Amino acid sequence: MDNIKNDAYYIDLIKKDIDKIEQYTKDISYDEFINDELLIDAIMFRLVQMIENIK
């Protein structure tokens, strides 16, 4: 069975990325965020994935 890669498929991927970013940043203060390099990397990865899926 092939994965149908239509608009709904890509929108679903983007929603999942947004959900992950929300999970990563839940209950995190700004100071904690800017001092956590791994968290920033994880969020940047998700943002890049979103950009690729929007194209």
Side-chain angles (χ1 to χ4, degrees):
M1 185 169 153
D2 292 328
N3 237 352
I4 299 173
K5 295 185 177 178
N6 56 18
D7 289 344
Y9 171 82
Y10 291 106
I11 290 170
D12 186 51
L13 290 177
I14 292 166
K15 286 180 180 179
K16 289 177 182 176
D17 288 328
I18 292 170
D19 289 342
K20 283 292 186 185
I21 292 171
E22 287 177 342
Q23 287 176 6
Y24 297 160
T25 58
K26 184 180 179 184
D27 301 324
I28 299 290
S29 72
Y30 177 74
D31 290 328
E32 290 173 312
F33 174 74
I34 62 171
N35 291 310
D36 189 338
E37 189 174 324
L38 290 176
L39 178 59
I40 293 170
D41 284 346
I43 291 172
M44 290 304 298
F45 173 79
R46 292 293 175 170
L47 291 172
V48 169
Q49 292 300 304
M50 288 172 52
I51 291 167
E52 289 299 316
N53 288 322
I54 290 170
K55 291 182 182 179

